[in-house]
Amino acid sequence: MTAPPVGIERRAGQRFPYLLPLSVRQPGTSLEGVGFTQDLSSRGVFFFTSAALTEGSEIELTLRMPSEITLGESMPVRCRGHILRVVRPASSSDSSAEPKIGVAVRLEGYEYLSESAQSSAFPKVSALHSQHEHEDDQPLAHSSTRSMLG
């Protein structure tokens, strides 16, 4: 009896586990959204979003690429690629949280952005949370924040 074959890593670039905010845009459509990465390499990214993305579609992502990938300074980058896989969430009994889908993208091109362009291209972290979090008697981390990160 032989053991099952060991899984072979098919990724060409080293993948780094980063939780980074990103903006999502589907060229040729009005579809835009925000999300956050789970992991990232020079050739691909896996991220979570509530945007209605579909497998095989062209996609444009804007994020701050870390220095481990740029091999220099971390910098804002607009990436173009194609969606390889969309992972739908299992149905949840928590209807208050927006469902997030997992999206795997093969990156095919990069455009380095200036720091000033970066500030308008990225969602403000406060825009990802409800406006009620700024009241003095409320803690900063609400369940919506925890559900987004976990």
Side-chain angles (χ1 to χ4, degrees), residues 17 39 48-49 53 57 62 64 73 82 108 115:
D39 56 53
F48 293 98
T49 184
L53 300 173
S57 300
T62 305
R64 177 170 284 277
E73 298 285 320
H82 281 87
E108 297 160 352
E115 291 294 332

Side-chain angles (χ1 to χ4, degrees), residues 77-98:
V77 177
R78 182 177 297 127
C79 308
R80 291 177 318 283
H82 281 87
I83 298 173
L84 298 176
R85 185 175 73 252
V86 174
V87 181
R88 305 274 172 209
S91 61
S92 170
S93 60
D94 182 9
S95 59
S96 65
E98 230 180 316

Side-chain angles (χ1 to χ4, degrees), residues 48-78:
F48 293 98
T49 184
S50 55
L53 300 173
T54 55
E55 198 170 300
S57 300
E58 188 177 343
I59 192 167
E60 190 175 276
L61 307 172
T62 305
L63 68 146
R64 177 170 284 277
M65 196 69 78
S67 59
E68 287 86 350
I69 294 173
T70 64
L71 302 177
E73 298 285 320
S74 72
M75 61 184 67
V77 177
R78 182 177 297 127

Side-chain angles (χ1 to χ4, degrees), residues 2-150:
T2 61
V6 175
I8 297 173
E9 178 63 49
R10 293 180 297 178
R11 295 181 185 118
Q14 182 179 358
R15 200 155 278 246
F16 297 95
Y18 281 109
L19 182 66
L20 301 170
L22 55 76
S23 63
V24 177
R25 191 174 79 77
Q26 203 162 37
T29 72
S30 60
L31 181 63
E32 292 186 0
V34 295
F36 57 94
T37 63
Q38 174 178 298
D39 56 53
L40 181 65
S41 78
S42 61
R43 303 233 178 124
V45 61
F46 188 83
F47 67 95
F48 293 98
T49 184
S50 55
L53 300 173
T54 55
E55 198 170 300
S57 300
E58 188 177 343
I59 192 167
E60 190 175 276
L61 307 172
T62 305
L63 68 146
R64 177 170 284 277
M65 196 69 78
S67 59
E68 287 86 350
I69 294 173
T70 64
L71 302 177
E73 298 285 320
S74 72
M75 61 184 67
V77 177
R78 182 177 297 127
C79 308
R80 291 177 318 283
H82 281 87
I83 298 173
L84 298 176
R85 185 175 73 252
V86 174
V87 181
R88 305 274 172 209
S91 61
S92 170
S93 60
D94 182 9
S95 59
S96 65
E98 230 180 316
K100 300 276 187 271
I101 59 169
V103 182
V105 173
R106 180 184 64 238
L107 298 176
E108 297 160 352
Y110 302 91
E111 176 186 351
Y112 295 98
L113 304 173
S114 68
E115 291 294 332
S116 60
Q118 179 261 333
S119 62
S120 62
F122 289 93
K124 302 239 183 313
V125 172
S126 61
L128 299 175
H129 306 292
S130 68
Q131 296 302 315
H132 303 291
E133 294 183 15
H134 299 294
E135 297 174 15
D136 290 336
D137 60 342
Q138 303 257 340
L140 290 177
H142 279 76
S143 62
S144 63
T145 305
R146 284 191 298 272
S147 67
M148 184 178 83
L149 299 175

